[in-house]
């Protein structure tokens, strides 16, 4: 696994990729803060821009847009009680009362920290658990396999 991780990290640290991460993150925050535009829609709108890029560079930019939009949805959820993305609906339950109490800055800061922490944990989980989960999922078979749980429901040949 490390034979793929180290070249990937070196690829991420290229100046063009860092620049596109920053641009994608800023654009994603704007897309997420606009009610009605979801993170998925933001990525879909930006896919044509990445057609001329190197595949890894395009994926870096699209990933940054998605992550920025997920975080950006909390801004409007906290400040105007309208979630920018569907994933930030629960943020309105605590964020809006904090804003009314004059603590909007604390709500936005908490949202930033929790989004960053969750993104890091999710990325690490994906990095280390994707291969074992893929191997586990390949062990499933169709109902025609005799060892399958569905074989009990198959009519016996008469």
């Amino acid at each position: 696994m490390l034979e793929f991780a180290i070249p990937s990290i070196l690829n991420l640290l290229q100046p063009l990729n860092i620049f596109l991460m920053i641009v994608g993150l800023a654009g994603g925050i704007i897309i997420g803060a606009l009610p009605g535009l979801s993170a998925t829609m933001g990525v879909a709108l930006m896919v044509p821009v990445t057609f001329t890029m190197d595949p890894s560079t395009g994926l870096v930019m699209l990933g940054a847009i998605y992550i920025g939009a997920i975080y950006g949805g909390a801004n409007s959820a906290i400040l105007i009680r309208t979630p920018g993305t569907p994933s930030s609906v629960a943020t309105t339950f605590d964020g809006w009362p904090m804003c009314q109490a004059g603590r909007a800055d604390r709500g936005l800061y908490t949202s930033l920290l929790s989004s960053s922490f969750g993104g890091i944990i999710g990325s690490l989980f994906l990095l280390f658990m994707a291969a074992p989960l893929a191997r586990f999922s390949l062990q499933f078979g169709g109902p025609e396999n005799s060892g399958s749980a569905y074989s009990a429901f198959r009519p016996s040949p008469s």
Side-chain angles (χ1 to χ4, degrees):
M1 182 172 68
L2 287 177
E3 67 268 10
F4 299 119
I6 293 172
S8 299
I9 291 171
L10 292 176
N11 190 22
L12 284 176
L13 296 177
Q14 291 180 0
L16 177 64
N17 288 344
I18 291 174
F19 173 73
L20 289 177
M21 273 190 268
I22 294 169
V23 169
L25 194 62
I29 291 171
I30 292 170
I31 288 171
L34 295 171
L37 291 178
S38 65
T40 309
M41 189 181 302
V43 170
L45 289 173
M46 294 305 292
V47 164
V49 174
T50 63
F51 280 161
T52 59
M53 296 180 186
D54 181 53
S56 61
T57 304
L59 287 173
V60 164
M61 184 175 178
L62 292 176
I65 291 169
Y66 183 81
I67 290 170
I70 292 296
Y71 162 69
N75 291 340
S76 60
I78 292 169
L79 297 176
I80 62 173
R81 198 180 182 184
T82 304
T85 58
S87 62
S88 61
V89 170
T91 308
T92 59
F93 301 149
D94 290 330
W96 176 247
M98 288 179 76
C99 183
Q100 287 179 319
R103 297 183 307 173
D105 57 342
R106 187 171 193 142
L108 291 170
Y109 184 68
T110 303
S111 170
L112 174 65
L113 285 179
S114 60
S115 182
S116 301
F117 183 71
I120 291 169
I121 296 297
S123 297
L124 290 175
F125 185 79
L126 180 65
L127 178 67
F128 292 112
M129 295 303 294
L133 285 174
R135 281 192 295 273
F136 177 69
S137 66
L138 288 174
Q139 293 177 356
F140 288 99
E144 64 275 358
N145 294 341
S146 61
S148 172
Y150 296 108
S151 61
F153 301 109
R154 206 170 19 148
S156 61
S158 304

